[in-house]
């Protein structure tokens, strides 16, 4: 981010995936804050947005914060106008399943 380098959603998605896989919630939250500050949420019509939401959901769920994962899902769903790619739903349902939240997973599925 220094020296004039301006990351795009693809860069942030890569970092979010890395932090989710390594359990680095603090670094992932930093990226989430950067996304919000840079107003990259304005690009809700691009496919990268859905992937970014999936990465954020996976980050929080992988680090044990299923509640924030669902908040990201719900907030992003409203921003997107309730038109997510099926992969975002799959990510949230999978995260519920990982945490033993079968009822919530089935409720979202329906």
């Amino acid at each position: 981010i220094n020296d004039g380098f301006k990351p795009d959603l693809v860069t942030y998605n890569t970092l979010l995936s890395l932090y989710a896989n390594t359990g680095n919630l603090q670094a992932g939250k930093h990226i989430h804050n950067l996304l919000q500050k840079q107003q990259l949420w304005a690009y809700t019509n691009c496919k990268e947005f859905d992937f970014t939401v999936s990465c954020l959901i996976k980050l929080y769920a992988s680090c044990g914060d299923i509640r924030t994962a669902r908040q990201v899902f719900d907030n992003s769903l409203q921003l997107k106008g309730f038109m997510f790619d099926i992969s975002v739903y799959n990510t949230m349902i999978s995260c519920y399943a990982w945490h033993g939240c079968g009822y919530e997973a089935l409720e979202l599925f329906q």
Side-chain angles (χ1 to χ4, degrees), residues 82-99:
F82 300 96
M83 297 295 293
F84 269 146
D85 183 79
I86 192 72
S87 63
V88 180
Y89 285 94
N90 288 342
T91 300
M92 191 68 238
I93 290 168
S94 295
C95 289
Y96 274 141
W98 292 333
H99 286 274

Side-chain angles (χ1 to χ4, degrees), residues 51-62:
F51 190 68
T52 302
V53 173
S54 291
C55 289
L56 284 167
I57 291 168
K58 184 180 175 196
L59 166 77
Y60 287 108
S62 295

Side-chain angles (χ1 to χ4, degrees), residues 33-82:
N33 288 333
L34 287 175
L35 286 166
Q36 291 173 324
K37 282 182 187 175
Q38 295 179 8
Q39 297 181 344
L40 291 175
W41 293 125
Y43 302 105
T44 58
N45 291 331
C46 67
K47 284 193 171 218
E48 287 85 4
F49 178 83
D50 288 351
F51 190 68
T52 302
V53 173
S54 291
C55 289
L56 284 167
I57 291 168
K58 184 180 175 196
L59 166 77
Y60 287 108
S62 295
C63 294
D65 192 351
I66 194 71
R67 181 174 292 154
T68 301
R70 180 57 192 249
Q71 287 173 345
V72 167
F73 177 87
D74 289 339
N75 293 341
S76 301
L77 190 61
Q78 286 183 326
L79 281 173
K80 184 85 178 200
F82 300 96

Side-chain angles (χ1 to χ4, degrees), residues 8-21 51 55:
D8 60 7
L9 283 178
V10 175
T11 306
Y12 287 128
N13 293 343
T14 302
L15 291 171
L16 288 169
S17 293
L18 170 72
Y19 298 144
N21 289 334
F51 190 68
C55 289

